[in-house]
């Protein structure tokens, strides 16, 4: 393989990884926002439970006052009933007393209901407050994990960008420009390996003389795919000497393919 093409293959690998790193870094603010939203959601639940508790306590006060005021009225009518002169007036007061006592009983029922509800709200607030600590603890751990990932991605990005700069400086400007123009149009992939005498990415057949030229170890010509325009390169398959040598070569990966 031509040295320039080798640089391009290396550059392509770096560019692919760089694009991946940038994508992942871009997604991080949304990930952090989702964690924050979970915490604020739990906080809102607590606020709602507290509000319900406050309202229930207010009702309780009101019903307590109702009980007292109806009790007071009943007492007043009872006092008056000792002083009335006519039977009619006495009966009327008895009626008032009965009414006031009914009201006392009703207010006491409502009060009891509120007290039970209040206990339930109190329990809800306590439960929610307990869970907010858990949720916050988990959120904090998750934030730290995301931030640690972010800084490691940033670090790799810087290293790979520097590496890219070095490799790019080894490639003639015109060739680099061609690669970059194609990559920009083709989802970041400016190179295509020839497989089965066709472009490995779009499947377009490679003309025989181009294929022959690319197979020559002393060839420096650059060919582009006639369909997707990507810069073509060819990796000679490993020569099978014995089954043992072949398995060694395949175990060693791509580097075993080079002469
Ligand atoms: Zn192609």
């Amino acid at each position: 393989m031509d040295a320039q093409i080798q640089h391009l293959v290396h550059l392509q690998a770096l560019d692919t990884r760089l694009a991946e790193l940038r994508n992942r870094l871009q997604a991080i603010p949304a990930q952090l926002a989702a964690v924050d939203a979970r915490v604020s959601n739990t906080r809102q639940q607590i606020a709602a439970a507290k509000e319900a508790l406050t309202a229930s306590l207010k009702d309780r006060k009101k019903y307590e006052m109702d009980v007292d005021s109806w009790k007071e009225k009943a007492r007043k009518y009872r006092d008056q009933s000792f002083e009335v002169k006519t039977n009619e007036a006495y009966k009327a007061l008895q009626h008032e007393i009965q009414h006031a006592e009914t009201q006392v009983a009703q207010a006491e029922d409502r009060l009891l209901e509120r007290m039970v509800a209040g206990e339930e709200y109190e329990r809800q607030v306590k439960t929610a407050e307990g869970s907010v600590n858990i949720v916050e603890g988990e959120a904090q751990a998750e934030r730290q994990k995301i931030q640690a990932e972010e800084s490691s991605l940033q670090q790799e990005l810087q290293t790979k960008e520097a590496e890219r700069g070095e490799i790019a400086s080894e490639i003639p400007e015109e060739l680099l420009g061609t690669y970059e123009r194609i990559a920009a149009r083709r989802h970041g992939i400016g190179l295509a390996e020839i497989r089965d005498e066709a472009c490995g990415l779009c499947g377009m057949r490679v003309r025989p003389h181009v294929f022959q030229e690319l197979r020559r170890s002393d060839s420096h010509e650059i060919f582009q795919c006639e369909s997707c325009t990507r810069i073509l390169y060819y990796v000679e398959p490993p020569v099978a000497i014995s089954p043992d040598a072949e398995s060694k070569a395949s175990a060693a990966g791509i580097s075993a393919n080079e002469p």
Side-chain angles (χ1 to χ4, degrees):
M1 207 196 307
D2 178 48
Q4 302 307 343
I5 292 285
Q6 271 182 35
H7 286 321
L8 276 180
V9 170
H10 190 174
L11 193 75
Q12 179 69 77
L14 284 170
D15 279 350
T16 303
R17 181 63 186 155
L18 280 167
E20 216 174 88
L21 290 170
R22 290 189 188 110
N23 273 341
R24 280 169 69 185
L25 280 165
Q26 232 174 13
I28 281 177
Q31 277 178 310
L32 287 172
V35 172
D36 289 346
R38 254 199 336 262
V39 174
S40 71
N41 202 19
T42 310
R43 286 232 175 86
Q44 270 166 19
Q45 278 170 11
I46 291 184
K50 275 187 176 161
E51 223 169 272
L53 179 61
T54 308
S56 136
L57 287 174
K58 236 186 237 170
D59 284 352
R60 206 166 128 177
K61 275 260 152 52
K62 184 180 168 294
Y63 297 145
E64 269 169 4
M65 277 158 70
D66 282 354
V67 170
D68 289 348
S69 96
W70 283 110
K71 270 186 181 164
E72 174 64 20
K73 272 180 194 156
R75 196 187 55 78
K76 227 170 65 192
Y77 293 139
R78 223 174 275 117
D79 286 351
Q80 281 173 22
S81 73
F82 296 124
E83 289 158 19
V84 290
K85 310 276 187 267
T86 68
N87 214 16
E88 223 167 71
Y90 181 77
K91 265 187 184 164
L93 277 171
Q94 285 303 312
H95 181 75
E96 290 297 337
I97 290 165
Q98 208 171 29
H99 175 69
E101 278 170 352
T102 309
Q103 292 299 323
V104 169
Q106 280 176 5
E108 276 174 345
D109 282 351
R110 286 198 298 264
L111 179 60
L112 190 66
E113 215 174 82
R114 286 290 92 181
M115 282 164 84
V116 172
E119 276 165 20
E120 172 60 19
Y121 292 135
E122 241 168 280
R123 203 186 54 76
Q124 281 179 11
V125 169
K126 265 194 198 133
T127 309
E129 273 175 344
S131 79
V132 84
N133 288 337
I134 296 168
V135 168
E136 261 179 43
E138 283 171 357
Q140 196 46 34
E142 214 170 316
R143 271 189 214 105
Q144 276 170 1
K145 201 180 126 209
I146 294 169
Q147 279 155 357
E149 192 197 352
E150 184 179 30
S151 85
S152 112
L153 290 171
Q154 289 280 13
Q155 233 168 36
E156 192 185 341
L157 186 77
Q158 273 178 16
T159 312
K160 290 273 193 296
E161 272 173 348
E163 206 180 322
R164 191 202 192 269
E166 274 171 42
I167 297 289
S169 72
E170 302 281 329
I171 301 167
E173 218 170 290
E174 206 190 315
L175 180 59
L176 184 65
T178 305
Y179 160 80
E180 282 175 345
R181 268 194 308 280
I182 300 165
R185 282 202 313 266
R186 300 279 169 189
H187 309 289
I189 311 290
L191 285 185
E193 187 182 347
I194 295 176
R195 291 199 183 111
D196 298 327
E197 296 177 42
C199 171
L201 286 173
C202 77
M204 180 73 178
R205 288 214 70 76
V206 176
R207 285 172 195 276
H209 81 272
V210 171
F211 186 56
Q212 287 314 314
E213 190 65 28
L214 280 168
R215 287 188 72 180
R216 277 176 45 203
S217 56
D218 60 343
S219 162
H220 298 299
E221 218 178 319
I222 298 296
F223 294 99
Q224 289 174 242
C225 171
E226 285 179 31
S227 172
C228 71
T229 74
R230 290 188 178 97
I231 297 166
L232 295 167
Y233 69 98
Y234 181 69
V235 179
E236 212 54 68
V239 185
I241 303 162
S242 68
D244 184 51
E246 194 181 325
S247 68
K248 265 183 196 159
S250 66
I254 291 169
S255 60
N257 293 344
E258 281 164 17

